[in-house]
Amino acid sequence: MVRIARQRIDDLFGLAEQESLRGEFDLAHRYVVLAREIGTRYNVHLLPEYREVYCRGCSAYWIEGRTVRTRLRSGRRVRTCLRCGRARRTRLRREEPTPPAPGPGRRTPAPFPEGALVGAGEDEGRSPERP
Ligand SMILES: [Zn+2]
C-alpha cells in the first residue's frame, strides 16, 4: 500500500509540473493537495525534491517568477509564495573546508558553490527577519 501511495505521489507531482508549465496553476495546486493528502493518509513522507517545489502554507505548485519569488539575502534563500505570501527560508552554507591544505597557498572558496544549498536548519513562517 505504501508503495502504491509513493507511486501515486510521484504521478501527481509529475502532473502538477506538466500543468503548471501549461499555465494551469489551479490544476497544479489541486494535484499537490491530493499528493499531500495521500502522504498524510498513508504516512508517506514526500521526497525532499518535492518538498522544495510547493508551498507548505497553501500547497501552490511553485514556478519561479509565476507563483514564487526567490531572493538571496544575508546568507539565506528566501522563497516567498505569491499565492499566500508565506516565506520559506533556507540557510545557504559554504562548503566545509576539506583537510587543511599543505603549503603556503591561501585558498579562497567560491561564495556559493554548486550544491551548497542545505535543507538542514531551515525555518518557515512569516516571522520577522532575525538579525
Ligand atoms: Zn502559499
Side-chain angles (χ1 to χ4, degrees), residues 55 57-60 81 83-86:
C55 173
C58 68
S59 295
C81 177
R83 188 187 161 103
C84 71
R86 187 180 169 120

Side-chain angles (χ1 to χ4, degrees), residues 4-18 31 35 50:
I4 296 170
R6 282 211 185 96
Q7 184 58 52
R8 187 103 175 91
I9 290 170
D10 278 354
D11 292 348
L12 284 166
F13 269 101
L15 285 169
E17 188 181 2
Q18 256 178 41
Y31 288 139
Y50 292 151

